[in-house]
């Protein structure tokens, strides 16, 4: 219920109509019995500055940040956590006495389902794609202590820029970049294979970024992790699972990055299971 004291949270993006965040956050807020509301906030790129001033004026507590603002918001923040600096993008912002502070909870969200597995110091990782999400994945793998990260990309200039961007990182990132032609040779070392490309999500639901027979090359006890959360499972995860790999989908990352943000804003323990269940319900995955 909205009261005269209800505190404001939200998500800025443009467009924002398809966001899943309000569903997930408001379910948790209700369960926690807090007087907060989480709203979709459409902010056109050229109005970001004005929006932030307005948020400060009306006492917005904090907000999530999505495309196209994840990097554009950096100059407007008074403080950026080392994690967000390493990724070069912010997805969570909150008000402090000094101004707006930003972090990136995608890194911890990505790592969360991997915490159940150990021996990260022995696991080479292969990351497919080198866009925004791949940055959080690489930062997460470095935090886990992955000894070797192989990033596979299709655009050489972007791949070079991606590799270069980690050179002065505070994180110890052991990164090699590769063309897709090299993937068959990388598979045998891929204790962890992560898909960060959109191949496999709508409208490409029948596609996998990796041919089924290549999964035969994976070493024993390997993990295939697809950042895509719908369809569930993706073809990529189906192929991997059929060939004996452990399959992890993107839903948990989505839930965990949101839960960490809500904990930052409210200072309270967050019911992760409620967020997960509401999201599954919303996506029709609870049947
Ligand atoms: P992005 O910045 O656009 O990056 C996409 C990457 O995939 C780029 O490297 C792109 O290569 C590559 N790519 C696109 N189409 C490809 C194709 N047909 N073949 C090979 N490579 C291809 O997108 P993003 O923000 O990183 O998001 C990527 C995926 O992660 C999306 O499916 C998104 O839904 C998912 N995601 C999930 C979560 C979660 O919480 N579960 C969080 C973030 C993102 P070029 O740059 O060379 O075009």
């Amino acid at each position: 219920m909205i009261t005269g004291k209800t505190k404001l949270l939200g998500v800025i993006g443009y467009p924002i109509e398809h966001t899943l965040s309000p569903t997930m956050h408001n379910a948790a807020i209700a369960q926690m019995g807090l007087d907060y509301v989480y709203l979709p906030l459409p902010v056109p790129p050229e109005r970001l500055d004005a929006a932030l001033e307005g948020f400060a004026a009306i006492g917005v507590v904090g907000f999530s940040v999505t495309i196209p603002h994840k990097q554009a918001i950096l100059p407007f923040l008074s403080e950026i956590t080392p994690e967000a600096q390493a990724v070069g993008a912010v997805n969570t912002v909150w008000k402090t006495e000094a101004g707006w502070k930003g972090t990136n909870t995608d890194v911890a969200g990505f790592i969360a389902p991997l915490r159940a597995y150990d021996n990260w110091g022995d696991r080479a990782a292969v990351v497919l794609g080198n866009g925004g999400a791949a940055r959080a994945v690489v930062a997460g793998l470095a935090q886990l202590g992955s000894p070797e990260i192989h990033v596979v990309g299709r655009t050489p200039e972007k791949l070079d820029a991606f590799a270069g961007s980690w050179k002065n990182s505070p994180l110890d990132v052991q990164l090699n970049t590769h063309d897709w032609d090299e993937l068959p040779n990388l598979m045998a070392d891929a204790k962890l294979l992560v898909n960060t490309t959109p191949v496999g999500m709508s409208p490409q639901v029948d596609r996998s970024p990796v041919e089924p027979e290549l999964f035969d090359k994976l070493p024993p006890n390997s993990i295939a992790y697809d950042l895509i959360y719908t369809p569930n499972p993706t073809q990529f995860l189906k192929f991997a699972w059929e060939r004996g790999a452990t399959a992890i989908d993107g839903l948990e990352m989505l839930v965990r990055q949101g839960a960490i943000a809500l904990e930052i804003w409210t200072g309270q323990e967050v019911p992760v299971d409620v967020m997960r269940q509401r999201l599954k319900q919303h996506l029709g995955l609870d049947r």
Side-chain angles (χ1 to χ4, degrees):
M1 194 171 58
I2 310 276
T3 73
K5 296 179 188 161
T6 301
K7 295 193 173 96
L8 287 172
L9 298 169
V11 52
I12 63 166
Y14 201 76
I16 200 67
E17 288 80 5
H18 299 293
T19 179
L20 299 169
S21 297
T23 308
M24 176 168 81
H25 282 290
N26 288 316
I29 287 166
Q31 174 76 21
M32 293 161 85
L34 297 177
D35 195 2
Y36 280 75
V37 66
Y38 184 105
L39 300 169
L41 303 165
V43 176
E46 69 282 5
R47 305 288 287 157
L48 180 58
D49 195 3
L52 292 176
E53 237 179 86
F55 293 168
I58 60 171
V60 168
V61 174
F63 52 92
S64 312
V65 184
T66 189
I67 293 163
H69 302 306
K70 282 185 159 191
Q71 286 159 345
I73 198 163
L74 293 172
F76 298 103
L77 303 176
S78 58
E79 199 181 339
I80 300 165
T81 62
E83 226 155 48
Q85 280 173 25
V87 177
V90 155
N91 79 336
T92 301
V93 171
W94 65 102
K95 197 79 172 81
T96 68
E97 283 192 1
W100 296 112
K101 180 168 177 177
T103 192
N104 194 311
T105 65
D106 278 338
V107 181
F110 166 71
I111 293 175
L114 295 175
R115 294 262 183 224
Y117 306 90
D118 49 15
N119 298 332
W120 287 105
D122 298 331
R123 287 180 189 262
V126 175
V127 179
L128 308 174
N130 53 272
R135 300 198 64 79
V137 167
V138 166
L141 292 172
Q143 274 191 18
L144 281 174
S146 195
E148 242 181 278
I149 305 168
H150 299 278
V151 177
V152 178
R154 64 176 179 178
T155 314
E157 311 81 64
K158 288 187 185 175
L159 208 46
D160 286 349
F162 188 91
S165 71
W166 296 97
K167 294 244 160 76
N168 297 320
S169 166
L171 296 171
D172 180 20
V173 178
Q174 303 301 321
L175 191 93
N176 301 296
T177 53
H178 307 268
D179 186 82
W180 280 85
D181 292 344
E182 296 171 54
L183 181 59
N185 299 329
L186 295 172
M187 291 296 273
D189 282 331
K191 286 273 186 152
L192 174 67
L193 178 65
V194 189
N195 176 36
T196 78
T197 78
V199 180
M201 66 187 265
S202 179
Q204 314 178 64
V205 292
D206 296 326
R207 291 190 56 204
S208 162
V210 179
E211 294 302 317
E213 53 282 1
L214 275 189
F215 288 96
D216 290 331
K217 293 177 180 266
L218 283 177
N221 304 320
S222 59
I223 299 172
Y225 191 152
D226 200 336
L227 262 49
I228 296 171
Y229 41 85
T230 178
N232 190 308
T234 55
Q235 289 291 93
F236 171 83
L237 288 186
K238 257 194 233 168
F239 294 153
W241 185 77
E242 283 164 7
R243 283 156 179 85
T246 298
I248 301 178
D249 62 61
L251 192 87
E252 196 62 15
M253 174 173 171
L254 186 64
V255 170
R256 295 300 185 117
Q257 62 76 29
I260 298 162
L262 192 55
E263 198 174 320
I264 291 172
W265 296 322
T266 64
Q268 297 199 25
E269 201 179 320
V270 170
V272 179
D273 50 337
V274 169
M275 297 178 89
R276 185 186 299 115
Q277 196 46 39
R278 177 55 66 92
L279 210 51
K280 281 188 172 175
Q281 230 173 18
H282 188 85
L283 294 169
L285 301 174
D286 57 340
R287 286 186 278 277

